[in-house]
Amino acid sequence: MSSDSAAANHRKPIPRVIPREQHNLSRKQISRGALRVLYGLKDAGFRACLVGGAVRDLLLGRQPKDFDVATDATPEEVRKLFRNCRLIGRRFRLAHVVFGSEIVEVATFRGTGEGDTSGDRHVVEGRILRDNVWGAIEEDALRRDFRVNALYYDIADFSVIDYVGGIEDLEQKHLRLIGDPATRYREDPVRMLRAARLAAKLGFSIDPAAVAPFKELGHLLEDAPTARLFDECQKMFLAGYGLASFRMLVQCGLLRHLFPGTVRALAHDASGSLRDLIERGLSGTDARVADKRPVTPAFLFAVLLWGEVELLANELQAQGTVRSLAWQRAAHRVMAEQGKRVAIPRRFSYAIEEIWALQPRFAERTRKRVFRLMAHPRFRAAYDFLLLRAGESEALRESGQWWTEIQALTPEQLSQLLAPKSVGGKPGENAGSTGRRRRRGGRRRKSRSPEAGPQE
Ligand code: ATP
Ligand code: MG
């Protein structure tokens, strides 16, 4: 079924029902929390289905990130059933049922809202600002974004229900929007990012009809709520498929609407070192996610925005601003500009600027400064960042190696190595010039490698 025929079937979609014995989705794969919600609703007489990414991923044999439930119970009715429940969202009201660290998202079936003036739906110039009109399951299916995201697993009989051709798309590894793509993007521009993200995550192709409007409508992302775009960035870049998402955004021409500075810097990246830094940064993050190690948005944004900071700092220096001030101003300006597109919470923006600001300190190898830098709470992230910059110059590559080697030493060994007498030793052979000068009591001069980077 094409997306056009899905739209034509708008009023009475005839579902394809796949009975339990003909699909591979089993209750054993569903989280305990989601099962409790599904059965809790069913036992209270409501319709309850697993829906969205969880059904899609399980049918593909993948482990879902989370479990979403759709029901004909209203949010208030859901809250009455579960003690551990809170209602969230204004634009899209939902119930969250909490089981320890697991949150099961429960959405009431949405209606198309046509002819309904009583419900809480607010549409301005085609954009849906609020969508809280309840409806029947077959209408709910049509309100979802992609056909593969509109499959329901019904807890009443364990069947999978497909109103829009989602199974066919899963088989073809193809993403199609439900309905007319341009209309669906105008309703909610973030769906463009979701297309790129899901294609990257699943390794699916995107229907040409769903890609075609990106050029004309991509700019609508520029007035999407910045906090929502921050959430979307986390899903794209911190969920284990960041590199694939980045490449997909570049390929789709969407990156410039989210990270215009990054696109500008990449256009100046003749040597390819920035592209290399970003790609290695993202694949390192993906590897950490795969190993279940923690990841932070701060490092990610430091990586994505670094090229623009460097470019701007160089421009400011060319206009006569002194080096350290140029880097400081560039960092502030890039963060302020980026904040207009993606709302980066304060605690992360501090960390990002710190990661950048620590970079020149890696050029200083006196004992005191080395120990002080290693004790800095942001040392690890700044060091990881230094390693990513290896492609910028031989000096930075050498610096990264030196800092890697010294971390393998005990504090005693390190102390000995960095003692003034050991100047010329290895590693740390150029330790000490700043320290010696200072001990002589002269006015402190800044010792730094010409490659060092931002302000002190
Ligand atoms: P993930 O695996 O990343 O969780 P997902 O498809 O489950 O992917 P969610 O954000 O968890 O994504 O959304 C759950 C479901 O809600 C989707 O599968 C889709 O059916 C529906 N949905 C989410 N966002 C939108 C949107 N912007 N427009 C229409 N439907 C949406
Ligand atoms: Mg989900």
PDB file of all heavy atoms in Angstrom, residues 334-362:
ATOM      1  N   VAL A 334      29.587  31.210  20.077  1.00  0.00           N
ATOM      2  CA  VAL A 334      29.090  29.966  19.469  1.00  0.00           C
ATOM      3  C   VAL A 334      28.002  29.352  20.358  1.00  0.00           C
ATOM      4  O   VAL A 334      26.959  28.909  19.864  1.00  0.00           O
ATOM      5  CB  VAL A 334      30.248  28.959  19.248  1.00  0.00           C
ATOM      6  CG1 VAL A 334      29.719  27.570  18.948  1.00  0.00           C
ATOM      7  CG2 VAL A 334      31.132  29.450  18.102  1.00  0.00           C
ATOM      8  N   MET A 335      28.214  29.380  21.669  1.00  0.00           N
ATOM      9  CA  MET A 335      27.199  28.812  22.567  1.00  0.00           C
ATOM     10  C   MET A 335      25.904  29.619  22.495  1.00  0.00           C
ATOM     11  O   MET A 335      24.809  29.053  22.493  1.00  0.00           O
ATOM     12  CB  MET A 335      27.705  28.790  24.014  1.00  0.00           C
ATOM     13  CG  MET A 335      28.835  27.820  24.265  1.00  0.00           C
ATOM     14  SD  MET A 335      28.475  26.148  23.730  1.00  0.00           S
ATOM     15  CE  MET A 335      27.177  25.722  24.841  1.00  0.00           C
ATOM     16  N   ALA A 336      26.028  30.933  22.422  1.00  0.00           N
ATOM     17  CA  ALA A 336      24.833  31.779  22.375  1.00  0.00           C
ATOM     18  C   ALA A 336      24.061  31.536  21.077  1.00  0.00           C
ATOM     19  O   ALA A 336      22.836  31.399  21.082  1.00  0.00           O
ATOM     20  CB  ALA A 336      25.226  33.244  22.496  1.00  0.00           C
ATOM     21  N   GLU A 337      24.786  31.449  19.966  1.00  0.00           N
ATOM     22  CA  GLU A 337      24.129  31.202  18.675  1.00  0.00           C
ATOM     23  C   GLU A 337      23.458  29.837  18.655  1.00  0.00           C
ATOM     24  O   GLU A 337      22.335  29.676  18.212  1.00  0.00           O
ATOM     25  CB  GLU A 337      25.158  31.284  17.531  1.00  0.00           C
ATOM     26  CG  GLU A 337      25.497  32.700  17.124  1.00  0.00           C
ATOM     27  CD  GLU A 337      24.277  33.506  16.701  1.00  0.00           C
ATOM     28  OE1 GLU A 337      23.525  33.026  15.836  1.00  0.00           O
ATOM     29  OE2 GLU A 337      24.064  34.608  17.262  1.00  0.00           O
ATOM     30  N   GLN A 338      24.181  28.840  19.160  1.00  0.00           N
ATOM     31  CA  GLN A 338      23.639  27.482  19.142  1.00  0.00           C
ATOM     32  C   GLN A 338      22.381  27.386  20.000  1.00  0.00           C
ATOM     33  O   GLN A 338      21.445  26.670  19.680  1.00  0.00           O
ATOM     34  CB  GLN A 338      24.704  26.465  19.606  1.00  0.00           C
ATOM     35  CG  GLN A 338      24.285  25.028  19.433  1.00  0.00           C
ATOM     36  CD  GLN A 338      23.948  24.689  17.981  1.00  0.00           C
ATOM     37  OE1 GLN A 338      24.625  25.103  17.053  1.00  0.00           O
ATOM     38  NE2 GLN A 338      22.869  23.933  17.774  1.00  0.00           N
ATOM     39  N   GLY A 339      22.382  28.142  21.087  1.00  0.00           N
ATOM     40  CA  GLY A 339      21.237  28.142  21.996  1.00  0.00           C
ATOM     41  C   GLY A 339      19.942  28.609  21.329  1.00  0.00           C
ATOM     42  O   GLY A 339      18.852  28.294  21.787  1.00  0.00           O
ATOM     43  N   LYS A 340      20.066  29.336  20.214  1.00  0.00           N
ATOM     44  CA  LYS A 340      18.856  29.773  19.506  1.00  0.00           C
ATOM     45  C   LYS A 340      18.210  28.617  18.755  1.00  0.00           C
ATOM     46  O   LYS A 340      17.050  28.690  18.386  1.00  0.00           O
ATOM     47  CB  LYS A 340      19.206  30.885  18.517  1.00  0.00           C
ATOM     48  CG  LYS A 340      19.654  32.165  19.187  1.00  0.00           C
ATOM     49  CD  LYS A 340      19.996  33.213  18.146  1.00  0.00           C
ATOM     50  CE  LYS A 340      20.651  34.411  18.799  1.00  0.00           C
ATOM     51  NZ  LYS A 340      21.335  35.251  17.812  1.00  0.00           N
ATOM     52  N   ARG A 341      18.992  27.567  18.491  1.00  0.00           N
ATOM     53  CA  ARG A 341      18.444  26.410  17.775  1.00  0.00           C
ATOM     54  C   ARG A 341      18.123  25.261  18.736  1.00  0.00           C
ATOM     55  O   ARG A 341      17.087  24.632  18.647  1.00  0.00           O
ATOM     56  CB  ARG A 341      19.446  25.887  16.730  1.00  0.00           C
ATOM     57  CG  ARG A 341      19.824  26.895  15.672  1.00  0.00           C
ATOM     58  CD  ARG A 341      18.676  27.108  14.695  1.00  0.00           C
ATOM     59  NE  ARG A 341      18.913  28.286  13.856  1.00  0.00           N
ATOM     60  CZ  ARG A 341      19.376  28.238  12.625  1.00  0.00           C
ATOM     61  NH1 ARG A 341      19.632  27.070  12.068  1.00  0.00           N
ATOM     62  NH2 ARG A 341      19.573  29.334  11.939  1.00  0.00           N
ATOM     63  N   VAL A 342      19.095  24.970  19.599  1.00  0.00           N
ATOM     64  CA  VAL A 342      18.969  23.809  20.486  1.00  0.00           C
ATOM     65  C   VAL A 342      19.228  24.293  21.908  1.00  0.00           C
ATOM     66  O   VAL A 342      20.284  24.857  22.178  1.00  0.00           O
ATOM     67  CB  VAL A 342      20.021  22.730  20.102  1.00  0.00           C
ATOM     68  CG1 VAL A 342      19.955  21.556  21.050  1.00  0.00           C
ATOM     69  CG2 VAL A 342      19.833  22.271  18.660  1.00  0.00           C
ATOM     70  N   ALA A 343      18.260  24.094  22.796  1.00  0.00           N
ATOM     71  CA  ALA A 343      18.429  24.585  24.170  1.00  0.00           C
ATOM     72  C   ALA A 343      19.353  23.640  24.935  1.00  0.00           C
ATOM     73  O   ALA A 343      18.943  22.557  25.335  1.00  0.00           O
ATOM     74  CB  ALA A 343      17.072  24.665  24.860  1.00  0.00           C
ATOM     75  N   ILE A 344      20.588  24.070  25.121  1.00  0.00           N
ATOM     76  CA  ILE A 344      21.546  23.248  25.866  1.00  0.00           C
ATOM     77  C   ILE A 344      21.472  23.684  27.329  1.00  0.00           C
ATOM     78  O   ILE A 344      21.763  24.844  27.639  1.00  0.00           O
ATOM     79  CB  ILE A 344      22.975  23.443  25.324  1.00  0.00           C
ATOM     80  CG1 ILE A 344      23.018  23.134  23.818  1.00  0.00           C
ATOM     81  CG2 ILE A 344      23.971  22.587  26.094  1.00  0.00           C
ATOM     82  CD1 ILE A 344      24.328  23.483  23.147  1.00  0.00           C
ATOM     83  N   PRO A 345      21.052  22.795  28.235  1.00  0.00           N
ATOM     84  CA  PRO A 345      20.933  23.219  29.634  1.00  0.00           C
ATOM     85  C   PRO A 345      22.254  23.770  30.178  1.00  0.00           C
ATOM     86  O   PRO A 345      23.333  23.346  29.766  1.00  0.00           O
ATOM     87  CB  PRO A 345      20.534  21.928  30.360  1.00  0.00           C
ATOM     88  CG  PRO A 345      19.910  21.079  29.305  1.00  0.00           C
ATOM     89  CD  PRO A 345      20.633  21.408  28.035  1.00  0.00           C
ATOM     90  N   ARG A 346      22.110  24.731  31.086  1.00  0.00           N
ATOM     91  CA  ARG A 346      23.259  25.451  31.628  1.00  0.00           C
ATOM     92  C   ARG A 346      24.408  24.540  32.087  1.00  0.00           C
ATOM     93  O   ARG A 346      25.570  24.767  31.792  1.00  0.00           O
ATOM     94  CB  ARG A 346      22.719  26.270  32.789  1.00  0.00           C
ATOM     95  CG  ARG A 346      23.412  27.439  33.427  1.00  0.00           C
ATOM     96  CD  ARG A 346      24.152  28.424  32.637  1.00  0.00           C
ATOM     97  NE  ARG A 346      23.466  29.134  31.593  1.00  0.00           N
ATOM     98  CZ  ARG A 346      22.904  30.326  31.717  1.00  0.00           C
ATOM     99  NH1 ARG A 346      22.907  30.956  32.857  1.00  0.00           N
ATOM    100  NH2 ARG A 346      22.360  30.921  30.691  1.00  0.00           N
ATOM    101  N   ARG A 347      24.045  23.450  32.812  1.00  0.00           N
ATOM    102  CA  ARG A 347      25.119  22.621  33.362  1.00  0.00           C
ATOM    103  C   ARG A 347      25.972  22.017  32.250  1.00  0.00           C
ATOM    104  O   ARG A 347      27.166  21.799  32.418  1.00  0.00           O
ATOM    105  CB  ARG A 347      24.552  21.523  34.273  1.00  0.00           C
ATOM    106  CG  ARG A 347      23.679  20.496  33.577  1.00  0.00           C
ATOM    107  CD  ARG A 347      23.085  19.536  34.596  1.00  0.00           C
ATOM    108  NE  ARG A 347      22.313  18.456  33.990  1.00  0.00           N
ATOM    109  CZ  ARG A 347      21.091  18.600  33.483  1.00  0.00           C
ATOM    110  NH1 ARG A 347      20.510  19.796  33.478  1.00  0.00           N
ATOM    111  NH2 ARG A 347      20.455  17.568  32.969  1.00  0.00           N
ATOM    112  N   PHE A 348      25.371  21.785  31.099  1.00  0.00           N
ATOM    113  CA  PHE A 348      26.152  21.234  29.991  1.00  0.00           C
ATOM    114  C   PHE A 348      26.945  22.339  29.291  1.00  0.00           C
ATOM    115  O   PHE A 348      28.061  22.112  28.865  1.00  0.00           O
ATOM    116  CB  PHE A 348      25.247  20.512  28.988  1.00  0.00           C
ATOM    117  CG  PHE A 348      24.541  19.316  29.575  1.00  0.00           C
ATOM    118  CD1 PHE A 348      23.171  19.156  29.418  1.00  0.00           C
ATOM    119  CD2 PHE A 348      25.241  18.354  30.284  1.00  0.00           C
ATOM    120  CE1 PHE A 348      22.510  18.059  29.961  1.00  0.00           C
ATOM    121  CE2 PHE A 348      24.604  17.257  30.836  1.00  0.00           C
ATOM    122  CZ  PHE A 348      23.231  17.114  30.677  1.00  0.00           C
ATOM    123  N   SER A 349      26.348  23.526  29.174  1.00  0.00           N
ATOM    124  CA  SER A 349      27.098  24.563  28.456  1.00  0.00           C
ATOM    125  C   SER A 349      28.347  24.980  29.240  1.00  0.00           C
ATOM    126  O   SER A 349      29.388  25.236  28.652  1.00  0.00           O
ATOM    127  CB  SER A 349      26.222  25.758  28.078  1.00  0.00           C
ATOM    128  OG  SER A 349      25.598  26.281  29.194  1.00  0.00           O
ATOM    129  N   TYR A 350      28.262  24.978  30.571  1.00  0.00           N
ATOM    130  CA  TYR A 350      29.479  25.228  31.362  1.00  0.00           C
ATOM    131  C   TYR A 350      30.530  24.180  31.043  1.00  0.00           C
ATOM    132  O   TYR A 350      31.693  24.474  30.827  1.00  0.00           O
ATOM    133  CB  TYR A 350      29.177  25.149  32.868  1.00  0.00           C
ATOM    134  CG  TYR A 350      28.550  26.392  33.449  1.00  0.00           C
ATOM    135  CD1 TYR A 350      27.571  26.299  34.444  1.00  0.00           C
ATOM    136  CD2 TYR A 350      28.946  27.660  33.031  1.00  0.00           C
ATOM    137  CE1 TYR A 350      26.984  27.432  34.984  1.00  0.00           C
ATOM    138  CE2 TYR A 350      28.369  28.801  33.565  1.00  0.00           C
ATOM    139  CZ  TYR A 350      27.389  28.684  34.539  1.00  0.00           C
ATOM    140  OH  TYR A 350      26.812  29.796  35.066  1.00  0.00           O
ATOM    141  N   ALA A 351      30.097  22.933  31.057  1.00  0.00           N
ATOM    142  CA  ALA A 351      31.038  21.829  30.837  1.00  0.00           C
ATOM    143  C   ALA A 351      31.668  21.911  29.441  1.00  0.00           C
ATOM    144  O   ALA A 351      32.861  21.661  29.282  1.00  0.00           O
ATOM    145  CB  ALA A 351      30.322  20.493  31.024  1.00  0.00           C
ATOM    146  N   ILE A 352      30.865  22.285  28.460  1.00  0.00           N
ATOM    147  CA  ILE A 352      31.384  22.385  27.088  1.00  0.00           C
ATOM    148  C   ILE A 352      32.496  23.433  27.034  1.00  0.00           C
ATOM    149  O   ILE A 352      33.590  23.183  26.522  1.00  0.00           O
ATOM    150  CB  ILE A 352      30.251  22.792  26.111  1.00  0.00           C
ATOM    151  CG1 ILE A 352      29.193  21.708  26.043  1.00  0.00           C
ATOM    152  CG2 ILE A 352      30.808  23.107  24.727  1.00  0.00           C
ATOM    153  CD1 ILE A 352      27.873  22.156  25.413  1.00  0.00           C
ATOM    154  N   GLU A 353      32.218  24.598  27.609  1.00  0.00           N
ATOM    155  CA  GLU A 353      33.218  25.668  27.556  1.00  0.00           C
ATOM    156  C   GLU A 353      34.465  25.273  28.341  1.00  0.00           C
ATOM    157  O   GLU A 353      35.578  25.646  27.990  1.00  0.00           O
ATOM    158  CB  GLU A 353      32.624  26.989  28.049  1.00  0.00           C
ATOM    159  CG  GLU A 353      31.577  27.509  27.058  1.00  0.00           C
ATOM    160  CD  GLU A 353      31.231  28.981  27.247  1.00  0.00           C
ATOM    161  OE1 GLU A 353      32.158  29.805  27.385  1.00  0.00           O
ATOM    162  OE2 GLU A 353      30.027  29.299  27.265  1.00  0.00           O
ATOM    163  N   GLU A 354      34.268  24.484  29.410  1.00  0.00           N
ATOM    164  CA  GLU A 354      35.433  24.033  30.180  1.00  0.00           C
ATOM    165  C   GLU A 354      36.297  23.061  29.375  1.00  0.00           C
ATOM    166  O   GLU A 354      37.529  23.143  29.401  1.00  0.00           O
ATOM    167  CB  GLU A 354      34.960  23.345  31.471  1.00  0.00           C
ATOM    168  CG  GLU A 354      35.164  24.221  32.669  1.00  0.00           C
ATOM    169  CD  GLU A 354      34.697  23.554  33.958  1.00  0.00           C
ATOM    170  OE1 GLU A 354      33.793  22.684  33.916  1.00  0.00           O
ATOM    171  OE2 GLU A 354      35.246  23.894  34.998  1.00  0.00           O
ATOM    172  N   ILE A 355      35.647  22.157  28.676  1.00  0.00           N
ATOM    173  CA  ILE A 355      36.399  21.203  27.855  1.00  0.00           C
ATOM    174  C   ILE A 355      37.273  21.969  26.855  1.00  0.00           C
ATOM    175  O   ILE A 355      38.445  21.667  26.666  1.00  0.00           O
ATOM    176  CB  ILE A 355      35.442  20.227  27.124  1.00  0.00           C
ATOM    177  CG1 ILE A 355      34.792  19.280  28.132  1.00  0.00           C
ATOM    178  CG2 ILE A 355      36.179  19.447  26.040  1.00  0.00           C
ATOM    179  CD1 ILE A 355      33.651  18.430  27.552  1.00  0.00           C
ATOM    180  N   TRP A 356      36.704  23.002  26.259  1.00  0.00           N
ATOM    181  CA  TRP A 356      37.473  23.809  25.300  1.00  0.00           C
ATOM    182  C   TRP A 356      38.582  24.587  26.012  1.00  0.00           C
ATOM    183  O   TRP A 356      39.716  24.633  25.558  1.00  0.00           O
ATOM    184  CB  TRP A 356      36.554  24.801  24.575  1.00  0.00           C
ATOM    185  CG  TRP A 356      35.548  24.172  23.667  1.00  0.00           C
ATOM    186  CD1 TRP A 356      35.636  22.939  23.066  1.00  0.00           C
ATOM    187  CD2 TRP A 356      34.296  24.745  23.240  1.00  0.00           C
ATOM    188  NE1 TRP A 356      34.514  22.714  22.303  1.00  0.00           N
ATOM    189  CE2 TRP A 356      33.681  23.803  22.379  1.00  0.00           C
ATOM    190  CE3 TRP A 356      33.645  25.953  23.489  1.00  0.00           C
ATOM    191  CZ2 TRP A 356      32.437  24.032  21.778  1.00  0.00           C
ATOM    192  CZ3 TRP A 356      32.414  26.186  22.883  1.00  0.00           C
ATOM    193  CH2 TRP A 356      31.819  25.230  22.039  1.00  0.00           C
ATOM    194  N   ALA A 357      38.208  25.195  27.157  1.00  0.00           N
ATOM    195  CA  ALA A 357      39.159  26.072  27.844  1.00  0.00           C
ATOM    196  C   ALA A 357      40.356  25.300  28.397  1.00  0.00           C
ATOM    197  O   ALA A 357      41.433  25.860  28.577  1.00  0.00           O
ATOM    198  CB  ALA A 357      38.456  26.824  28.969  1.00  0.00           C
ATOM    199  N   LEU A 358      40.173  24.017  28.669  1.00  0.00           N
ATOM    200  CA  LEU A 358      41.283  23.222  29.214  1.00  0.00           C
ATOM    201  C   LEU A 358      42.288  22.829  28.131  1.00  0.00           C
ATOM    202  O   LEU A 358      43.402  22.415  28.448  1.00  0.00           O
ATOM    203  CB  LEU A 358      40.760  21.958  29.912  1.00  0.00           C
ATOM    204  CG  LEU A 358      40.042  22.167  31.246  1.00  0.00           C
ATOM    205  CD1 LEU A 358      39.509  20.840  31.794  1.00  0.00           C
ATOM    206  CD2 LEU A 358      40.964  22.805  32.280  1.00  0.00           C
ATOM    207  N   GLN A 359      41.934  22.953  26.871  1.00  0.00           N
ATOM    208  CA  GLN A 359      42.811  22.455  25.811  1.00  0.00           C
ATOM    209  C   GLN A 359      44.232  23.036  25.853  1.00  0.00           C
ATOM    210  O   GLN A 359      45.199  22.277  25.799  1.00  0.00           O
ATOM    211  CB  GLN A 359      42.174  22.646  24.428  1.00  0.00           C
ATOM    212  CG  GLN A 359      40.910  21.812  24.218  1.00  0.00           C
ATOM    213  CD  GLN A 359      41.144  20.326  24.435  1.00  0.00           C
ATOM    214  OE1 GLN A 359      42.022  19.733  23.806  1.00  0.00           O
ATOM    215  NE2 GLN A 359      40.399  19.725  25.339  1.00  0.00           N
ATOM    216  N   PRO A 360      44.422  24.358  25.996  1.00  0.00           N
ATOM    217  CA  PRO A 360      45.802  24.859  25.992  1.00  0.00           C
ATOM    218  C   PRO A 360      46.600  24.386  27.192  1.00  0.00           C
ATOM    219  O   PRO A 360      47.833  24.356  27.147  1.00  0.00           O
ATOM    220  CB  PRO A 360      45.651  26.382  26.002  1.00  0.00           C
ATOM    221  CG  PRO A 360      44.260  26.643  26.422  1.00  0.00           C
ATOM    222  CD  PRO A 360      43.449  25.458  26.032  1.00  0.00           C
ATOM    223  N   ARG A 361      45.908  23.995  28.250  1.00  0.00           N
ATOM    224  CA  ARG A 361      46.647  23.571  29.451  1.00  0.00           C
ATOM    225  C   ARG A 361      47.358  22.242  29.253  1.00  0.00           C
ATOM    226  O   ARG A 361      48.231  21.881  30.032  1.00  0.00           O
ATOM    227  CB  ARG A 361      45.703  23.547  30.664  1.00  0.00           C
ATOM    228  CG  ARG A 361      45.335  24.988  31.052  1.00  0.00           C
ATOM    229  CD  ARG A 361      44.385  25.103  32.185  1.00  0.00           C
ATOM    230  NE  ARG A 361      44.761  24.341  33.374  1.00  0.00           N
ATOM    231  CZ  ARG A 361      44.007  24.294  34.471  1.00  0.00           C
ATOM    232  NH1 ARG A 361      42.893  24.996  34.519  1.00  0.00           N
ATOM    233  NH2 ARG A 361      44.386  23.578  35.504  1.00  0.00           N
ATOM    234  N   PHE A 362      46.995  21.518  28.222  1.00  0.00           N
ATOM    235  CA  PHE A 362      47.725  20.275  27.940  1.00  0.00           C
ATOM    236  C   PHE A 362      49.124  20.549  27.393  1.00  0.00           C
ATOM    237  O   PHE A 362      49.951  19.655  27.309  1.00  0.00           O
ATOM    238  CB  PHE A 362      46.942  19.406  26.937  1.00  0.00           C
ATOM    239  CG  PHE A 362      45.749  18.748  27.555  1.00  0.00           C
ATOM    240  CD1 PHE A 362      44.473  19.247  27.354  1.00  0.00           C
ATOM    241  CD2 PHE A 362      45.903  17.630  28.369  1.00  0.00           C
ATOM    242  CE1 PHE A 362      43.362  18.648  27.935  1.00  0.00           C
ATOM    243  CE2 PHE A 362      44.801  17.022  28.960  1.00  0.00           C
ATOM    244  CZ  PHE A 362      43.529  17.538  28.746  1.00  0.00           C
TER     245      PHE A 362
END
